Amino acid sequence: MYSGGTAAGAAATVPAGRAGRQTVLAERQTVLAEAARLADLARHGAGRLLVITGSSGIGRSALLDAVAAPEVSWGMTVRRAACAPDESGHPHAVARQLSGPGPEFGPDQDGRAPWELLRETAVRRPLLLLVDDVQHADRESADWLRQLARRLHRLPVLLVVTERRDPGPTDLLPPFGAGLPATVLQSRRLAPLSRAGSAELLAGRLGRPVSESLAEECHRATGGLPLLLTALTCPESRPLGAALGPVPTGAFREAVGHWLAGVGEPAATTARTMAELSGTRTGTVTLADLVAAQLAPPVRPYQPYGPAVPDHAGGAGHPELPDHSGWLPDWVQSLRALGLLLPGPADALPEFAHPWLPAALLAGWSDQRRAELHRSAATLLYGRGEPDGVVAEQLMRTEVCGAEWAADVLIGTARQAQREGGREYAVRLLRRALREPLSQCRRGTVLVELGCLEVTLGPPESVNGTRHLAEAVRLHQSDEAVFEAANALGVALAGRGETAAALDVLEDLAERFADRADLAHAVHAATALIASHDGDSWIQVVEGVRRIEARSATGVAPAAYGLLTEFDATSGRLSAAEVSRRVVELTAQPQDSFSASYLTASAATLAQWADRLDLADRLVAEGLTAHRGAKLHPAYQCLLSVRAESRVMRGQFTLLLQELAAASDQRGVLSLGNAHLTSQAVIALAETGHPVQARQLVAAGFEDSPPSGPSSWEMNELVYARGLLHLADGRVTEALADLLDCGRRQLERQVLSPIVTPWRSAAADCHLLLGQVGPAAELAAEELRLARVWDTPRTVGRALRVHGAATGGRQGLATVQEAVQLLRADGLDVELIPALTTLGRLLGGSGQRAAAREALREAVSRAERIGAVRLRGVAADLLLASGAKPDRQRQTGAGALTAGEQRVCRLAVEGNSNPEIAELLHLALRTVETHLTNSFRKLGIRRRAELAGVLEAPEG
């Protein structure tokens, strides 16, 4: 604890300071002792001049209070004067204050010089003359005081003068004592209080000791300036209660204002500029540049000991020099020496060490004044060629800039932020850009871009997004711009579950573009894609397109034909070979610019389903590169979905997650804004051994999904992904419920083929795990029938695997062997690994243990190569059960757990007992106990309670 002491350095207490409480002096005893020594000389007829200098707020006036106190003034007659700027134009104002009763020490009277009058007064009793803030003295009084100083050695007078000398403007001016004889002049400069001195002052003012932490806090906030420390002890300044409170108000802010008034306008503006822009990177723009821009036009030089002089334009001049470059570094360095500023990079403005002071500094600035600073900073930064992002940070703190370049900077920065995943910041930038003067066309373009971003952020921002898109539709004039805005609006409405409203928007477009075939065809394609958000609407649109096809001699537009092909493919009416032929035919035809994106998206989707993944990749790359419109364009979103699903089909799970993370913002893949991407991300996370993240993502997907009815294709995708996740977690019953629900939803949309959401094979796996062979065989047979219609190795091989597993025996083994041969020939590892695992299980069951191990080892190897942690774990479990030696490369850590061990551990973390786990997973209780024992050993833990902390921990 700090406390006041009784030694020579202890705090002195004198009556009545400015705050209305006793004045406490700390670390000023040496100055008082020097004044006492000089007073003794003066009483013996050898007068002296003591000049006490110091910066604003250092306690010069408080020290004069102490000297003037009756118990301190050494029996001398005290005369005191206080100089002020508003009196600097009144001749002899200071001399008159010092005169007291009787003749004035000002103008000559009775032919006698003023100093003679003073000598006659001093002979009767020695005089103690105190002059505060002599830098503000009028010229006549300053000359009289200097004359007096030159004669003091013959007078019983002690003249004590305080002078403000702040590092900065005033230090460039001659001091009061310049040129006076050293025989009479003594100077003392007051330093800020040390930490111990600050504690002394606080304890003396509060009448109680203060804690070391509180003393340190106050010292950091004030730099040891007694003016500010004293203000902190006033009742309305709250930080000195039992606990540190909020930023001080009342007396502290008033004291900071008084301090700023003392240092002068340029220095005050500098301090406030640093407070407002604290830590801002400004590149080549310096603090002096920012201050000069605010203080322009320049004023005439400061005239010492006289009134401020108006500048040439007639405005009132500041009593400081206009060249800020000379004094400003010294002023900033003085703040740094006080500990008020933190060290920082050279290209950034200094940052205050404590929040109280900048808050009080800015309390005197209006919002308009602060906005003007940011506008000035933005203009300087832009003129110096600093990056747009740096300029935009300043523009964001203004209501409007008005410069022609401001909107360009904000929009460009928003696009850069979007590329880097900062969608929320991009939204704020675009909203700010709308406050700048924009042409009608430009405003509409920004509204579309903003609306699309807001929609991807989900509720509640999506509401603002649809409003902005609707405004853009009304604002745009050209057909092309209206089409783009309306297209995005339709997707936004459909994403909110308002498919009927979206189709109404497109119906209005169709009427507007009835005479333009290119736009009419694009509207038809957009209508079909948007209608797919709702099952009934999708089927109605398809039937309408078929009627048009039947009536037209030339058929429908290529984009519409592609969508019809998609419908026929998913309904099980076409083979992959026929679809591939149509894709080649469609992509060979020249297309208008509006329909091309729809056709590319449709062709890419069909090529992916047909396992023409290289062709699908090429089409996706071309489509994404060529896209220049809104990100909510249905074709653009479709291309993103195709790319994501292609990654999953290839087993490129890690690459997909990296791409999605790069496209998302700081919240991660949870903010993808595309339900299909979310579904693919859930599958990738489950396969790579991140079930906790997958569960969080799927939950967020359902939370953000639109209330668009049971036939929404987004809901189908999410339900399917959740079913697979439940299956990976060992929640077989929940997985089966989701997969059968997905199947019901797809059948309502007339989606029969297993080329999308192959729910039958996954549901059959669940039935088999539950021991329900009959339902599994029925689902497997139906999937195999539909797969042979489509006739690609992936769909047929997957169906053969499940059908063989459900059939069992020799026939089942032969069927699975056929699946392995088919899938191995095409290098389809994602489907081949489960086929090899099933083959290993069936071979082991038939007594062919060596062959079973060979198949399972291949499955483990292939799974490791593509990073399929879940698939590897399933195969590794079976391999160990077959009697193979365990893998010595990964014996410890979460990555060493087999799939069975992971499932058991996760259920244990969720609070299930061993018997409950055994029932959920249809395992023997002994097996559950063995899994937990092995898991504890691998994870290096001893208790069940430690599982949660290590199960998802990253490996070193």
Side-chain angles (χ1 to χ4, degrees):
M1 301 283 287
Y2 283 119
S3 62
T6 58
T13 300
V14 296
R18 282 197 178 101
R21 302 178 66 180
Q22 66 180 8
T23 299
V24 178
L25 297 180
E27 300 182 338
R28 300 293 186 248
Q29 293 302 312
T30 56
V31 180
L32 286 174
E34 178 65 9
R37 185 183 70 82
L38 297 179
D40 185 62
L41 292 175
R43 287 197 304 271
H44 290 82
R48 290 292 187 272
L49 167 64
L50 175 60
V51 178
I52 301 173
T53 63
S55 61
S56 180
I58 204 68
R60 303 183 313 278
S61 299
L63 189 56
L64 280 192
D65 289 341
V67 172
E71 63 271 26
V72 179
S73 55
W74 309 291
M76 305 174 76
T77 299
V78 179
R79 302 283 180 85
R80 184 167 180 173
C83 307
D86 56 357
E87 294 183 355
S88 60
H90 300 279
H92 303 286
V94 177
R96 288 192 177 98
Q97 289 186 62
L98 292 174
S99 297
E104 294 182 348
F105 298 152
D108 292 351
Q109 294 184 12
D110 301 329
R112 291 177 297 175
W115 68 272
E116 293 177 352
L117 294 174
L118 183 142
R119 182 179 58 184
E120 292 179 3
T121 302
V123 166
R124 292 191 292 271
R125 189 181 184 191
L127 283 176
L128 175 59
L129 302 181
L130 307 176
V131 180
D132 200 8
D133 284 336
V134 73
Q135 75 276 1
H136 293 309
D138 61 275
R139 186 177 297 279
E140 290 79 4
S141 292
D143 291 343
W144 178 78
L145 288 171
R146 286 197 182 88
Q147 292 174 11
L148 171 62
R150 293 187 178 93
R151 296 170 172 82
L152 279 177
H153 65 284
R154 294 178 288 168
L155 297 173
V157 176
L158 173 60
L159 175 60
V160 181
V161 171
T162 71
E163 183 178 22
R164 193 197 79 214
R165 301 291 295 182
D166 287 300
T170 56
D171 260 1
L172 302 178
L173 305 173
F176 171 79
L180 294 178
T183 54
V184 298
L185 174 64
Q186 294 293 323
S187 295
R188 292 291 182 272
R189 186 173 184 93
L190 300 182
L193 301 183
S194 66
R195 283 174 173 78
S198 296
E200 279 187 29
L201 187 148
L202 293 172
R205 290 277 298 176
L206 295 172
R208 58 177 171 80
V210 295
S211 67
E212 186 172 351
S213 62
L214 179 57
E216 169 65 23
E217 187 93 358
C218 294
H219 184 79
R220 275 199 311 123
T222 63
L225 293 178
L227 172 69
L228 305 184
L229 281 165
T230 299
L232 286 177
T233 64
C234 293
E236 65 269 30
S237 294
R238 292 171 292 186
L240 301 188
L244 293 180
V247 175
T249 56
F252 184 75
R253 290 187 177 179
E254 291 176 7
V256 171
H258 181 77
W259 173 58
L260 291 180
V263 300
E265 178 61 23
T269 299
T270 301
R272 286 177 167 137
T273 298
M274 289 189 293
E276 180 66 19
L277 301 178
S278 181
T280 301
R281 292 188 176 274
T282 56
T284 58
V285 176
T286 65
L287 180 60
D289 296 330
L290 294 167
V291 173
Q294 296 175 81
L295 296 179
V299 298
R300 289 188 181 183
Y302 173 59
Q303 301 293 326
Y305 314 112
V309 181
D311 64 15
H312 64 277
H318 296 300
E320 276 85 16
L321 291 170
D323 182 8
H324 314 302
S325 60
W327 61 264
L328 192 145
D330 291 338
W331 164 242
V332 174
Q333 182 56 37
S334 72
L335 297 181
R336 203 181 300 279
L338 290 172
L340 296 175
L341 299 178
L342 297 173
D347 63 341
L349 294 190
E351 185 172 359
F352 281 90
H354 195 282
W356 289 352
L357 184 55
L361 284 168
L362 295 173
W365 256 11
S366 65
D367 291 342
Q368 179 181 359
R369 184 69 184 83
R370 295 164 76 169
E372 288 173 357
L373 167 61
H374 290 287
R375 186 182 301 110
S376 175
T379 302
L380 286 169
L381 291 165
Y382 181 81
R384 296 285 178 85
E386 295 298 330
D388 282 358
V390 176
V391 181
E393 287 180 10
Q394 301 305 313
L395 291 174
M396 291 293 286
R397 305 289 294 276
T398 66
E399 281 299 314
V400 62
C401 176
E404 294 181 357
W405 47 264
D408 294 336
V409 167
L410 289 164
I411 294 169
T413 305
R415 290 170 179 167
Q416 180 63 31
Q418 188 178 357
R419 287 191 292 271
E420 294 173 355
R423 284 185 288 169
E424 291 180 335
Y425 184 46
V427 164
R428 298 201 304 272
L429 287 162
L430 291 176
R431 288 174 178 170
R432 171 62 183 82
L434 289 174
R435 297 205 294 268
E436 294 295 330
L438 296 169
S439 67
Q440 184 170 319
C441 178
R442 186 82 182 281
R443 184 170 296 277
T445 301
V446 174
L447 284 168
V448 171
E449 193 168 349
L450 172 60
C452 292
L453 277 173
E454 289 171 326
V455 168
T456 64
L457 292 178
E461 295 296 344
S462 57
V463 176
N464 293 325
T466 53
R467 290 172 180 170
H468 285 138
L469 291 170
E471 183 182 352
V473 173
R474 294 190 297 269
L475 195 63
H476 274 309
Q477 297 297 315
S478 70
D479 289 345
E480 292 79 2
V482 170
F483 172 72
E484 180 182 355
N487 209 0
L489 176 60
V491 175
L493 289 170
R496 290 174 54 189
E498 301 175 26
T499 306
L503 295 177
D504 288 343
V505 170
L506 294 174
E507 185 177 347
D508 292 341
L509 277 187
E511 293 179 4
R512 173 171 179 160
F513 302 144
D515 297 332
R516 286 197 58 175
D518 55 348
L519 284 172
H521 290 162
V523 171
H524 293 156
T527 301
L529 276 178
I530 289 174
S532 67
H533 287 78
D534 174 76
D536 294 337
S537 299
W538 166 240
I539 293 173
Q540 290 174 11
V541 168
V542 169
E543 291 174 351
V545 174
R546 289 199 191 282
R547 288 193 294 270
I548 295 174
E549 183 182 34
R551 293 195 302 265
S552 173
T554 58
V556 295
Y561 185 61
L563 292 171
L564 286 179
T565 302
E566 288 187 46
F567 183 86
D568 289 341
T570 57
S571 61
R573 304 178 187 180
L574 295 176
S575 68
E578 171 60 19
V579 167
S580 296
R581 184 190 66 77
R582 293 189 185 187
V583 168
V584 173
E585 177 184 326
L586 287 171
T587 54
Q589 299 180 25
Q591 295 297 317
D592 62 80
S593 58
F594 299 104
S595 299
S597 58
Y598 294 101
L599 180 61
T600 300
S602 183
T605 300
L606 293 167
Q608 178 203 72
W609 290 345
D611 271 341
R612 299 283 303 277
L613 297 186
D614 290 341
L615 174 59
D617 288 347
R618 178 174 63 79
L619 291 171
V620 167
E622 291 175 356
L624 293 178
T625 302
H627 183 76
R628 292 293 183 270
K631 301 301 183 186
L632 277 188
H633 193 292
Y636 179 82
Q637 292 296 318
C638 181
L639 290 171
L640 294 178
S641 295
V642 171
R643 183 175 66 180
E645 192 161 356
S646 292
R647 298 281 188 245
V648 171
M649 292 171 70
R650 285 190 171 98
Q652 298 172 336
F653 306 120
T654 301
L655 177 59
L656 170 62
L657 294 173
Q658 290 172 348
E659 290 174 344
L660 295 183
S664 182
D665 58 18
Q666 62 270 21
R667 296 178 299 169
V669 292
L670 297 180
S671 59
L672 291 171
N674 180 312
H676 188 264
L677 295 186
T678 300
S679 302
Q680 300 306 304
V682 169
I683 294 171
L685 287 168
E687 293 297 342
T688 53
H690 298 91
V692 173
Q693 296 178 33
R695 285 194 288 270
Q696 292 172 345
L697 181 54
V698 79
F702 276 96
E703 182 179 344
D704 295 340
S705 63
S708 50
S711 58
S712 164
W713 70 268
E714 298 106 318
M715 185 63 70
N716 296 357
E717 295 283 350
L718 284 170
V719 170
Y720 177 71
R722 187 174 65 182
L724 296 184
L725 178 59
H726 283 324
L727 185 56
D729 280 343
R731 297 177 175 274
V732 182
T733 303
E734 292 93 328
L736 180 59
D738 272 342
L739 293 167
L740 293 178
D741 185 35
C742 174
R744 179 184 58 80
R745 294 167 181 272
Q746 293 291 48
L747 292 177
E748 289 176 352
R749 294 174 56 88
Q750 299 185 24
V751 177
L752 306 178
S753 176
I755 58 178
V756 291
T757 57
W759 58 274
R760 293 181 185 85
S761 58
D765 284 332
C766 293
H767 279 303
L768 290 174
L769 288 172
L770 295 173
Q772 301 165 357
V773 178
E778 183 179 345
L779 288 171
E782 178 64 7
E783 174 142 336
L784 182 57
R785 183 186 69 80
L786 292 167
R788 292 199 185 281
V789 173
W790 184 246
D791 198 27
T792 60
R794 183 186 303 275
T795 54
V796 174
R798 182 197 303 123
L800 285 171
R801 175 191 68 79
V802 180
H803 190 269
T807 303
R810 292 184 178 179
Q811 183 180 349
L813 179 59
T815 302
V816 175
Q817 287 174 329
E818 181 185 354
V820 168
Q821 292 173 358
L822 185 62
L823 294 168
R824 181 182 282 123
D826 263 39
L828 303 173
D829 277 352
V830 173
E831 301 298 341
L832 176 58
I833 295 167
L836 287 168
T837 302
T838 302
L839 178 61
R841 183 167 56 245
L842 293 179
L843 287 170
S846 66
Q848 304 177 56
R849 300 175 67 85
R853 292 172 187 166
E854 183 179 352
L856 293 171
R857 285 195 178 95
E858 182 182 355
V860 169
S861 175
R862 289 180 179 272
E864 287 179 342
R865 186 166 63 245
I866 66 173
V869 174
R870 185 190 69 84
L871 293 174
R872 178 196 179 280
V874 173
D877 276 348
L878 289 172
L879 186 58
L880 289 174
S882 72
K885 293 182 180 179
D887 184 356
R888 299 294 181 185
Q889 294 181 351
R890 304 187 67 174
Q891 299 181 30
T892 60
L897 298 182
T898 66
E901 290 167 349
Q902 289 179 3
R903 287 192 291 270
V904 169
C905 287
R906 289 179 197 128
L907 290 174
V909 167
E910 293 170 4
N912 296 289
S913 65
N914 288 3
E916 289 171 336
I917 296 173
E919 182 179 355
L920 287 169
L921 297 181
H922 303 281
L923 297 174
L925 180 60
R926 177 73 177 179
T927 303
V928 172
E929 294 170 347
T930 301
H931 277 328
L932 284 174
T933 300
N934 291 338
S935 299
F936 286 6
R937 175 181 53 78
K938 293 178 181 180
L939 296 173
I941 61 176
R942 294 184 178 182
R943 293 184 298 276
R944 197 186 193 95
E946 299 176 65
L947 272 174
V950 298
L951 195 58
E952 283 291 312
E955 297 182 39

Short mmCIF file of all heavy atoms in Angstrom, two decimals, residues 475-509:
data_model
loop_
_atom_site.label_atom_id
_atom_site.label_comp_id
_atom_site.label_asym_id
_atom_site.label_seq_id
_atom_site.Cartn_x
_atom_site.Cartn_y
_atom_site.Cartn_z
N LEU A 475 -35.23 0.88 -59.36
CA LEU A 475 -34.33 1.98 -59.72
C LEU A 475 -33.72 1.82 -61.10
O LEU A 475 -33.54 2.80 -61.83
CB LEU A 475 -33.22 2.06 -58.67
CG LEU A 475 -32.38 3.34 -58.62
CD1 LEU A 475 -33.25 4.52 -58.27
CD2 LEU A 475 -31.28 3.18 -57.56
N HIS A 476 -33.38 0.59 -61.49
CA HIS A 476 -32.70 0.37 -62.77
C HIS A 476 -33.62 0.69 -63.94
O HIS A 476 -34.85 0.55 -63.86
CB HIS A 476 -32.24 -1.09 -62.88
CG HIS A 476 -30.89 -1.32 -62.25
ND1 HIS A 476 -29.78 -0.56 -62.55
CD2 HIS A 476 -30.47 -2.26 -61.35
CE1 HIS A 476 -28.75 -1.01 -61.86
NE2 HIS A 476 -29.14 -2.03 -61.12
N GLN A 477 -33.02 1.09 -65.03
CA GLN A 477 -33.76 1.45 -66.23
C GLN A 477 -33.52 0.46 -67.37
O GLN A 477 -34.44 0.11 -68.09
CB GLN A 477 -33.37 2.86 -66.68
CG GLN A 477 -33.72 3.95 -65.68
CD GLN A 477 -35.22 4.06 -65.43
OE1 GLN A 477 -36.01 4.04 -66.37
NE2 GLN A 477 -35.60 4.16 -64.16
N SER A 478 -32.28 0.02 -67.54
CA SER A 478 -31.98 -0.87 -68.65
C SER A 478 -32.53 -2.26 -68.41
O SER A 478 -32.62 -2.73 -67.26
CB SER A 478 -30.46 -0.94 -68.89
OG SER A 478 -29.84 -1.66 -67.83
N ASP A 479 -32.92 -2.95 -69.49
CA ASP A 479 -33.47 -4.30 -69.37
C ASP A 479 -32.47 -5.24 -68.71
O ASP A 479 -32.83 -6.07 -67.86
CB ASP A 479 -33.84 -4.84 -70.75
CG ASP A 479 -35.07 -4.14 -71.32
OD1 ASP A 479 -35.78 -3.47 -70.54
OD2 ASP A 479 -35.31 -4.27 -72.54
N GLU A 480 -31.21 -5.12 -69.11
CA GLU A 480 -30.19 -6.03 -68.60
C GLU A 480 -30.02 -5.87 -67.09
O GLU A 480 -29.94 -6.85 -66.34
CB GLU A 480 -28.86 -5.78 -69.30
CG GLU A 480 -28.84 -6.16 -70.77
CD GLU A 480 -29.52 -5.11 -71.66
OE1 GLU A 480 -29.97 -4.07 -71.12
OE2 GLU A 480 -29.58 -5.33 -72.88
N ALA A 481 -29.98 -4.60 -66.63
CA ALA A 481 -29.79 -4.35 -65.21
C ALA A 481 -31.01 -4.80 -64.41
O ALA A 481 -30.88 -5.36 -63.31
CB ALA A 481 -29.51 -2.88 -64.96
N VAL A 482 -32.20 -4.56 -64.95
CA VAL A 482 -33.42 -4.99 -64.27
C VAL A 482 -33.45 -6.52 -64.16
O VAL A 482 -33.82 -7.08 -63.12
CB VAL A 482 -34.66 -4.48 -65.02
CG1 VAL A 482 -35.93 -5.14 -64.48
CG2 VAL A 482 -34.77 -2.97 -64.91
N PHE A 483 -33.05 -7.20 -65.21
CA PHE A 483 -33.03 -8.66 -65.19
C PHE A 483 -32.10 -9.18 -64.09
O PHE A 483 -32.47 -10.07 -63.32
CB PHE A 483 -32.59 -9.20 -66.54
CG PHE A 483 -32.35 -10.69 -66.55
CD1 PHE A 483 -33.41 -11.58 -66.48
CD2 PHE A 483 -31.06 -11.20 -66.60
CE1 PHE A 483 -33.20 -12.94 -66.47
CE2 PHE A 483 -30.84 -12.55 -66.58
CZ PHE A 483 -31.91 -13.43 -66.52
N GLU A 484 -30.90 -8.61 -64.01
CA GLU A 484 -29.95 -9.07 -63.00
C GLU A 484 -30.50 -8.85 -61.59
O GLU A 484 -30.45 -9.73 -60.73
CB GLU A 484 -28.62 -8.35 -63.15
CG GLU A 484 -27.58 -8.78 -62.11
CD GLU A 484 -26.27 -8.03 -62.24
OE1 GLU A 484 -26.13 -7.24 -63.18
OE2 GLU A 484 -25.42 -8.23 -61.37
N ALA A 485 -31.06 -7.64 -61.35
CA ALA A 485 -31.58 -7.34 -60.01
C ALA A 485 -32.77 -8.23 -59.68
O ALA A 485 -32.88 -8.76 -58.56
CB ALA A 485 -31.97 -5.86 -59.93
N ALA A 486 -33.68 -8.40 -60.63
CA ALA A 486 -34.87 -9.22 -60.38
C ALA A 486 -34.49 -10.69 -60.19
O ALA A 486 -35.10 -11.41 -59.39
CB ALA A 486 -35.85 -9.07 -61.54
N ASN A 487 -33.50 -11.14 -60.93
CA ASN A 487 -33.03 -12.51 -60.78
C ASN A 487 -32.53 -12.75 -59.36
O ASN A 487 -32.87 -13.74 -58.70
CB ASN A 487 -31.90 -12.74 -61.78
CG ASN A 487 -31.82 -14.18 -62.22
OD1 ASN A 487 -32.59 -15.01 -61.79
ND2 ASN A 487 -30.88 -14.48 -63.09
N ALA A 488 -31.71 -11.82 -58.87
CA ALA A 488 -31.19 -11.94 -57.50
C ALA A 488 -32.32 -11.85 -56.48
O ALA A 488 -32.33 -12.57 -55.48
CB ALA A 488 -30.15 -10.86 -57.24
N LEU A 489 -33.28 -10.96 -56.73
CA LEU A 489 -34.41 -10.83 -55.82
C LEU A 489 -35.21 -12.13 -55.77
O LEU A 489 -35.65 -12.56 -54.69
CB LEU A 489 -35.31 -9.68 -56.28
CG LEU A 489 -36.60 -9.48 -55.47
CD1 LEU A 489 -36.28 -9.20 -54.01
CD2 LEU A 489 -37.43 -8.34 -56.07
N GLY A 490 -35.40 -12.75 -56.91
CA GLY A 490 -36.12 -14.02 -56.94
C GLY A 490 -35.44 -15.08 -56.11
O GLY A 490 -36.08 -15.82 -55.34
N VAL A 491 -34.11 -15.20 -56.22
CA VAL A 491 -33.37 -16.18 -55.44
C VAL A 491 -33.48 -15.86 -53.95
O VAL A 491 -33.66 -16.75 -53.10
CB VAL A 491 -31.89 -16.22 -55.87
CG1 VAL A 491 -31.09 -17.15 -54.97
CG2 VAL A 491 -31.78 -16.66 -57.31
N ALA A 492 -33.40 -14.57 -53.62
CA ALA A 492 -33.49 -14.17 -52.21
C ALA A 492 -34.86 -14.54 -51.63
O ALA A 492 -34.96 -15.05 -50.52
CB ALA A 492 -33.24 -12.67 -52.07
N LEU A 493 -35.91 -14.25 -52.37
CA LEU A 493 -37.25 -14.57 -51.90
C LEU A 493 -37.44 -16.09 -51.75
O LEU A 493 -38.00 -16.57 -50.76
CB LEU A 493 -38.29 -14.00 -52.85
CG LEU A 493 -38.43 -12.47 -52.84
CD1 LEU A 493 -39.30 -12.00 -53.99
CD2 LEU A 493 -39.00 -11.99 -51.51
N ALA A 494 -36.97 -16.82 -52.73
CA ALA A 494 -37.09 -18.28 -52.65
C ALA A 494 -36.30 -18.82 -51.48
O ALA A 494 -36.73 -19.76 -50.80
CB ALA A 494 -36.62 -18.91 -53.96
N GLY A 495 -35.12 -18.24 -51.24
CA GLY A 495 -34.32 -18.68 -50.10
C GLY A 495 -34.99 -18.43 -48.77
O GLY A 495 -34.70 -19.10 -47.79
N ARG A 496 -35.90 -17.47 -48.72
CA ARG A 496 -36.66 -17.19 -47.50
C ARG A 496 -37.95 -18.00 -47.43
O ARG A 496 -38.77 -17.81 -46.54
CB ARG A 496 -37.01 -15.70 -47.42
CG ARG A 496 -35.82 -14.79 -47.18
CD ARG A 496 -36.21 -13.34 -47.26
NE ARG A 496 -37.33 -13.04 -46.37
CZ ARG A 496 -37.98 -11.86 -46.36
NH1 ARG A 496 -37.63 -10.92 -47.23
NH2 ARG A 496 -38.96 -11.65 -45.53
N GLY A 497 -38.13 -18.88 -48.40
CA GLY A 497 -39.34 -19.69 -48.41
C GLY A 497 -40.50 -19.04 -49.13
O GLY A 497 -41.62 -19.56 -49.12
N GLU A 498 -40.26 -17.90 -49.78
CA GLU A 498 -41.33 -17.18 -50.48
C GLU A 498 -41.21 -17.44 -51.98
O GLU A 498 -41.04 -16.53 -52.80
CB GLU A 498 -41.23 -15.69 -50.18
CG GLU A 498 -41.33 -15.36 -48.69
CD GLU A 498 -41.13 -13.89 -48.39
OE1 GLU A 498 -41.39 -13.06 -49.28
OE2 GLU A 498 -40.71 -13.57 -47.26
N THR A 499 -41.30 -18.73 -52.35
CA THR A 499 -41.13 -19.10 -53.76
C THR A 499 -42.22 -18.49 -54.62
O THR A 499 -41.96 -18.07 -55.76
CB THR A 499 -41.14 -20.63 -53.89
OG1 THR A 499 -40.15 -21.19 -53.00
CG2 THR A 499 -40.82 -21.05 -55.31
N ALA A 500 -43.45 -18.45 -54.13
CA ALA A 500 -44.54 -17.87 -54.92
C ALA A 500 -44.26 -16.41 -55.25
O ALA A 500 -44.47 -15.96 -56.39
CB ALA A 500 -45.86 -18.00 -54.15
N ALA A 501 -43.76 -15.66 -54.26
CA ALA A 501 -43.43 -14.25 -54.51
C ALA A 501 -42.29 -14.14 -55.51
O ALA A 501 -42.28 -13.24 -56.36
CB ALA A 501 -43.05 -13.57 -53.19
N ALA A 502 -41.31 -15.05 -55.42
CA ALA A 502 -40.19 -15.03 -56.36
C ALA A 502 -40.68 -15.27 -57.79
O ALA A 502 -40.26 -14.61 -58.74
CB ALA A 502 -39.16 -16.08 -55.97
N LEU A 503 -41.59 -16.22 -57.94
CA LEU A 503 -42.12 -16.52 -59.27
C LEU A 503 -42.97 -15.37 -59.80
O LEU A 503 -43.00 -15.12 -61.01
CB LEU A 503 -42.93 -17.81 -59.23
CG LEU A 503 -42.12 -19.08 -58.89
CD1 LEU A 503 -43.02 -20.29 -58.80
CD2 LEU A 503 -41.03 -19.30 -59.94
N ASP A 504 -43.62 -14.63 -58.91
CA ASP A 504 -44.37 -13.44 -59.35
C ASP A 504 -43.42 -12.40 -59.92
O ASP A 504 -43.73 -11.74 -60.93
CB ASP A 504 -45.13 -12.84 -58.16
CG ASP A 504 -46.33 -13.69 -57.76
OD1 ASP A 504 -46.75 -14.54 -58.57
OD2 ASP A 504 -46.82 -13.51 -56.63
N VAL A 505 -42.27 -12.23 -59.28
CA VAL A 505 -41.29 -11.27 -59.80
C VAL A 505 -40.85 -11.66 -61.20
O VAL A 505 -40.75 -10.82 -62.11
CB VAL A 505 -40.06 -11.20 -58.84
CG1 VAL A 505 -38.93 -10.40 -59.48
CG2 VAL A 505 -40.46 -10.60 -57.50
N LEU A 506 -40.58 -12.96 -61.39
CA LEU A 506 -40.12 -13.42 -62.71
C LEU A 506 -41.25 -13.38 -63.73
O LEU A 506 -41.01 -13.17 -64.93
CB LEU A 506 -39.56 -14.83 -62.58
CG LEU A 506 -38.28 -14.92 -61.73
CD1 LEU A 506 -37.87 -16.36 -61.54
CD2 LEU A 506 -37.15 -14.13 -62.37
N GLU A 507 -42.47 -13.56 -63.29
CA GLU A 507 -43.59 -13.44 -64.22
C GLU A 507 -43.71 -12.01 -64.75
O GLU A 507 -43.97 -11.79 -65.93
CB GLU A 507 -44.89 -13.86 -63.53
CG GLU A 507 -46.10 -13.88 -64.46
CD GLU A 507 -47.35 -14.37 -63.76
OE1 GLU A 507 -47.24 -14.91 -62.64
OE2 GLU A 507 -48.44 -14.22 -64.34
N ASP A 508 -43.50 -11.04 -63.86
CA ASP A 508 -43.49 -9.64 -64.31
C ASP A 508 -42.38 -9.40 -65.31
O ASP A 508 -42.54 -8.66 -66.29
CB ASP A 508 -43.32 -8.70 -63.11
CG ASP A 508 -44.53 -8.71 -62.19
OD1 ASP A 508 -45.61 -9.14 -62.64
OD2 ASP A 508 -44.39 -8.30 -61.02
N LEU A 509 -41.23 -10.02 -65.07
CA LEU A 509 -40.11 -9.89 -66.01
C LEU A 509 -40.47 -10.48 -67.37
O LEU A 509 -40.14 -9.92 -68.41
CB LEU A 509 -38.88 -10.60 -65.47
CG LEU A 509 -37.98 -9.85 -64.47
CD1 LEU A 509 -36.74 -10.67 -64.19
CD2 LEU A 509 -37.60 -8.48 -64.98
#
